[in-house]
Amino acid sequence: MLNLIPKVMADSAAQRVMLRCDLLASISETQGALTRVYLSDEHFQANRQVQQWMEEAGMSVWQDEVGNICGRYEAVTDGAPAILLGSHLDSVRNAGRYDGPLGVLTAIEVVSALRSQNIRLANAIEIVGFADEEGTRFGITLLGSKGLTGQWPNDWLDKTDDQSVSVREAMIAQHLDPRKVLQAARRPESIAAYLELHIEQGPCLETADLPLGVVTAINGAHRLHCHFTGLAGHAGTVPMTQRQDALVAAAEWIMAIEKETTAAGGGLVATVGQISCSPGAVNVIPGEVALSLDIRGPEDAPLSQLLEHLLSRGQSIASARGISFRAEEFYHIAATTCDKRLREACTQAVSAVQGSAPQLSSGAGHDAIAIAAQWPVAMIFVRCEKGISHHPAEAVTVQDVAAGIQAFTQAVQLTATPSREYETDDLSQAV
């Protein structure tokens, strides 16, 4: 059984991570508000800074063809498959400073801890600061991790930002060759597993009063445009019993969505986030309502069943009121289940740090979604204050980050292919 790195070492590492998160947060296109987008000057300034920290940790470092910053800490045997660690360095607009960078910087501390104790594993460790997970600039997500797995669609180079600059043009401006995008793809045999540490972006760990949790799956999602079409009429002359009010039907459906999704359980969630009413006059019965539906869950089958049920419910509500209902799906992503063996390693590591390891699904997307198309993945969550994320108020504590570094380091060691020559029980006990 491998022991945890010393607590005093983890505490020092956590302090360093917090300071580095602050420094990266200052690399922003807007003063006083963190915004760092793909293929911007700030993107590559952040890469250069992370490269310096990787090199200080004893890693060889390179930037790949889509702009990911990559570092490698060699295994006992040169060229061995790597355990890949990482997260993203880009941000949403007016972002928090821990979503993404925390995972990259704690991964660097994992390597630092192993190197300081002269430990090399049977697997190499590679760290990637992914260039774009959020999709803030070009409206397409996971560009960095999909570059690593060779999943770039042909039309991505032609996608444009709000200034009509294409991905191709932005790459050329930053001295990347768009003709070489596919060269970022890694050989399947070069990677053994992927582990990611990330802030939870939700309130579950804070509610449980625990710093860490283990991710079971990244939720799949369906997004739909929905419409109720009734009959507009005079608000004063049409009797209540003869109305075909689209807004009342939509309201009834929204309440049913909340009630029936709550009853379904299983980590399923559903949200109506947009609604518009036509003709939108104070003295006219609403004739048409357009609304969105976002439904997510950790398993595809129950998620699909709930969606089918909710759409059927919408149809029933409309029929009972003599109006029509239709829905068109415009986005779908399948659920990503974390690998059982890797999840067990994370569970063992988190339990060693805090005595238990709550299992929870992720309602937000992560680079692990793209990586899972090629390699097994697992994730550890770190508690964040009030579950706030994608906001400047995003916050974690030094103590929680230290716990994360301890657990993450042990999870990496437990994941590595056993090597008798280099297995050790001599790591210092946590104090």
Side-chain angles (χ1 to χ4, degrees):
M1 169 66 183
L2 298 171
N3 297 317
L4 297 175
I5 64 172
K7 185 175 182 300
V8 63
M9 181 186 295
D11 288 345
S12 176
Q15 292 280 3
R16 189 161 49 245
V17 165
M18 300 293 275
L19 290 172
R20 288 176 173 180
C21 283
D22 291 344
L23 196 156
L24 284 180
S26 71
I27 303 174
S28 171
E29 70 178 49
T30 51
Q31 188 172 3
L34 172 56
T35 300
R36 189 167 54 247
V37 301
Y38 185 48
L39 299 177
S40 64
D41 291 343
E42 294 77 24
H43 165 184
F44 294 97
Q45 185 181 347
N47 275 10
R48 289 190 295 271
Q49 181 59 78
V50 171
Q51 174 177 350
Q52 177 185 327
W53 293 330
M54 287 178 171
E55 289 173 344
E56 290 172 358
M59 309 186 78
S60 57
V61 184
W62 69 97
Q63 182 173 276
D64 72 14
E65 290 78 5
V66 296
N68 298 316
I69 190 70
C70 310
R72 182 178 175 97
Y73 180 71
E74 196 52 76
V76 171
T77 303
D78 287 355
I83 298 170
L84 188 64
L85 313 178
S87 196
H88 59 98
L89 293 173
D90 69 311
S91 79
V92 297
R93 298 195 180 277
N94 196 27
R97 63 193 57 200
Y98 303 107
D99 174 13
L102 184 69
V104 179
L105 299 179
T106 51
I108 293 173
E109 295 302 332
V110 169
V111 171
S112 293
L114 296 177
R115 183 182 181 226
S116 70
Q117 298 172 94
N118 297 314
I119 298 171
R120 289 194 183 268
L121 306 175
N123 291 103
I125 298 174
E126 291 192 13
I127 298 174
V128 180
F130 288 113
D132 185 306
E133 186 251 29
E134 300 287 4
T136 303
R137 180 175 182 182
F138 295 102
I140 42 179
T141 61
L142 304 173
L143 285 90
S145 45
K146 288 196 172 184
L148 201 78
T149 53
Q151 298 177 77
W152 265 53
N154 292 331
D155 64 344
W156 271 12
L157 289 172
D158 298 318
K159 298 292 185 181
T160 57
D161 63 14
D162 58 9
Q163 301 298 312
S164 298
V165 176
S166 69
V167 173
R168 177 182 284 103
E169 292 167 335
M171 292 185 104
I172 292 170
Q174 294 291 352
H175 310 292
L176 291 177
D177 187 344
R179 297 169 300 180
K180 296 182 178 179
V181 161
L182 295 181
Q183 294 181 22
R186 303 295 299 277
R187 292 178 294 107
E189 66 273 17
S190 70
I191 305 295
Y194 175 76
L195 299 176
E196 181 172 353
L197 181 142
H198 203 281
I199 61 169
E200 181 194 352
Q201 300 180 280
C204 297
L205 289 174
E206 188 172 72
T207 300
D209 195 25
L210 289 170
L212 306 175
V214 177
V215 179
T216 58
I218 302 168
N219 284 1
H222 296 265
R223 294 176 186 167
L224 300 93
H225 294 305
C226 307
H227 302 265
F228 286 91
T229 303
L231 184 65
H234 196 293
T237 63
V238 180
M240 296 300 290
T241 57
Q242 297 180 36
R243 296 187 176 202
Q244 294 170 282
D245 190 325
L247 184 56
V248 174
E252 184 179 348
W253 190 50
I254 292 169
M255 292 300 293
I257 289 169
E258 180 186 53
K259 180 179 179 181
E260 293 172 26
T261 303
T262 301
L268 293 162
V269 294
T271 304
V272 174
Q274 296 176 325
I275 186 166
S276 64
C277 177
S278 177
V282 67
N283 59 346
V284 180
I285 298 164
E288 182 158 8
V289 170
L291 64 163
S292 64
L293 175 63
D294 179 306
I295 178 170
R296 309 187 190 199
E299 297 180 73
D300 289 328
L303 180 61
S304 296
Q305 290 167 7
L306 177 63
L307 177 59
E308 183 179 350
H309 173 71
L310 293 179
L311 293 178
S312 176
R313 188 80 171 88
Q315 192 64 60
S316 297
I317 289 169
S319 296
R321 293 180 174 274
I323 65 176
S324 65
F325 171 78
R326 72 183 192 274
E328 303 91 33
E329 184 172 278
F330 66 92
Y331 174 85
H332 171 237
I333 189 167
T336 299
T337 302
C338 290
D339 178 77
K340 181 180 178 182
R341 184 180 74 88
L342 299 185
R343 195 169 73 240
E344 288 173 351
C346 291
T347 297
Q348 184 176 339
V350 169
S351 296
V353 171
Q354 63 185 28
S356 64
Q359 310 284 301
L360 61 163
S361 63
S362 174
H366 302 283
D367 288 297
I369 293 171
I371 300 300
Q374 192 73 272
W375 301 291
V377 305
M379 295 184 68
I380 292 174
F381 272 167
V382 177
R383 169 173 54 188
C384 57
E385 185 177 349
K386 297 178 182 177
I388 295 171
S389 183
H390 284 191
H391 188 277
E394 194 175 88
V396 297
T397 67
V398 176
Q399 294 79 11
D400 286 0
V401 173
I405 291 169
Q406 285 189 300
F408 204 28
T409 303
Q410 187 172 65
V412 169
Q413 294 177 85
L414 290 168
T415 299
T417 304
S419 173
R420 289 184 181 179
E421 182 180 357
Y422 283 85
E423 281 187 277
T424 177
D425 288 326
D426 295 332
L427 298 183
S428 301
Q429 291 281 357
V431 294

